[in-house]
Amino acid sequence: MNSETIRLSNLSIGYRGKNGTRVVADGICTAIRSGELTCLLGANGVGKSTLLRTLAAFQPKLEGEVLIEGREIASFSDKELSRLIGVVLTEKPDVRNMSVRELVALGRSPYTGFWGTLHEDDWQVVDEAIRAVGIEPLRARMIHTLSDGERQKVMIAKALAQQTPVIFLDEPTAFLDFPSKVEMMQLLRRLAREQQKTIFLSTHDFELALQVADTLWLMEPQGFSVGTPRELADAGALARYVERPGINFDPQTLSVRVE
């Protein structure tokens, strides 16, 4: 049975500034479970990045609770969080003169102390992460010579080397061609199941998310829906989200038809 890793209770997210507070979304009550791939869907500007940043402790919540393994996220130190949450961002790493194995090894930094010295067991973790993502042939390649898909796999291996129970990803398929998008999502689902990781990602790849996600979070201006793809389809939430003139959603086949 997959266990609940993260619990959100009446969560309100947004920004506090000189001119007051801007609430992006509020009243969010749900959970993220280990061993599952959870995908966050929503239109541009609806607040997906704000939610992801709040869950990763990059910015403070406005109200409510974010509990990780039963403990309020604000109570963790930075070092504790670095051993709890791995984050893979959309931005391409601007790295030169560094090999794949060296970049993946940066995932060990929460454990290596002030001097950052890696020991034999650290390198073993690094090599296991490289193997899990299937990029052994790239180990000695320089980062700037990689394709977008290869580079994204390296960043996921780095997060695995961090050995955190939770991994958040912001648009991990953004720069990839379609076969690479499919491969990336299948990889993340496999890692969630085989390693019992709690993997949560934002994506615009609607139909792909419907096929591979265990749970969907659908952010809309009028509210927040959570469920399996089938549950959200049956409730009409997916049709409401995607349908426009000339775009129809088939809830039986979980597919979009363009006319």
Side-chain angles (χ1 to χ4, degrees):
M1 181 72 178
N2 296 332
S3 60
E4 184 178 297
T5 311
I6 299 171
R7 163 61 60 180
L8 313 183
S9 299
N10 293 313
L11 177 65
S12 177
I13 60 172
Y15 302 89
R16 288 191 173 92
K18 295 177 183 175
N19 300 320
T21 300
R22 183 169 77 86
V23 177
V24 172
D26 61 5
I28 301 172
C29 297
T30 187
I32 313 176
R33 306 178 74 84
S34 65
E36 294 186 359
L37 179 63
T38 303
C39 292
L40 172 64
L41 296 169
N44 284 333
V46 80
K48 296 193 305 300
S49 293
T50 304
L51 176 56
L52 201 61
R53 288 176 59 81
T54 304
L55 296 184
F58 290 171
Q59 72 180 64
K61 58 184 167 38
L62 297 180
E63 290 181 15
E65 287 185 328
V66 178
L67 301 179
I68 300 184
E69 297 182 342
R71 182 174 159 189
E72 170 57 46
I73 192 170
S75 71
F76 290 98
S77 68
D78 288 346
K79 183 163 187 175
E80 287 174 324
L81 284 172
S82 71
R83 296 185 178 193
L84 197 62
I85 300 172
V87 181
V88 180
L89 299 174
T90 311
E91 292 82 23
K92 301 177 188 179
D94 185 19
V95 180
R96 303 189 77 83
N97 301 318
M98 182 178 281
S99 72
V100 165
R101 193 169 185 246
E102 288 168 338
L103 181 57
V104 174
L106 293 179
R108 298 303 298 159
S109 59
Y111 308 94
T112 55
F114 180 78
W115 298 109
T117 304
L118 269 69
H119 301 288
E120 186 177 338
D121 55 345
D122 291 305
W123 285 112
Q124 198 170 348
V125 171
V126 169
D127 290 334
E128 284 172 3
I130 288 172
R131 196 158 46 245
V133 179
I135 54 172
E136 297 103 314
L138 305 178
R139 279 164 43 118
R141 285 267 300 276
M142 304 306 283
I143 295 298
H144 67 275
T145 70
L146 302 179
S147 70
D148 289 338
E150 289 169 339
R151 196 181 291 116
Q152 195 70 300
K153 286 181 181 178
V154 172
M155 299 310 293
I156 291 169
K158 175 176 172 285
L160 288 179
Q162 205 173 325
Q163 289 188 309
T164 58
V166 178
I167 300 177
F168 293 136
L169 304 100
D170 184 19
E171 297 284 351
T173 59
F175 303 114
L176 308 185
D177 58 33
F178 186 73
S180 299
K181 288 177 188 283
V182 175
E183 187 182 28
M184 180 63 61
M185 294 288 265
Q186 289 174 325
L187 168 65
L188 292 170
R189 181 175 63 181
R190 177 173 61 78
L191 291 173
R193 291 178 179 173
E194 289 181 358
Q195 300 195 16
Q196 283 298 296
K197 298 282 187 186
T198 301
I199 299 185
F200 178 87
L201 64 90
S202 64
T203 183
H204 284 298
D205 291 313
F206 178 75
E207 287 187 278
L208 188 51
L210 299 192
Q211 294 182 64
V212 301
D214 296 295
T215 302
L216 294 177
W217 290 16
L218 179 58
M219 275 189 93
E220 300 176 280
Q222 67 268 36
F224 197 85
S225 305
V226 174
T228 66
R230 169 55 51 204
E231 287 168 347
L232 293 193
D234 291 344
L238 297 179
R240 184 179 66 239
Y241 168 65
V242 79
E243 287 192 339
R244 304 284 187 277
I247 305 174
N248 293 303
F249 177 72
D250 185 339
Q252 298 305 313
T253 60
L254 298 179
S255 61
V256 176
R257 189 172 69 255
V258 179
E259 295 176 349

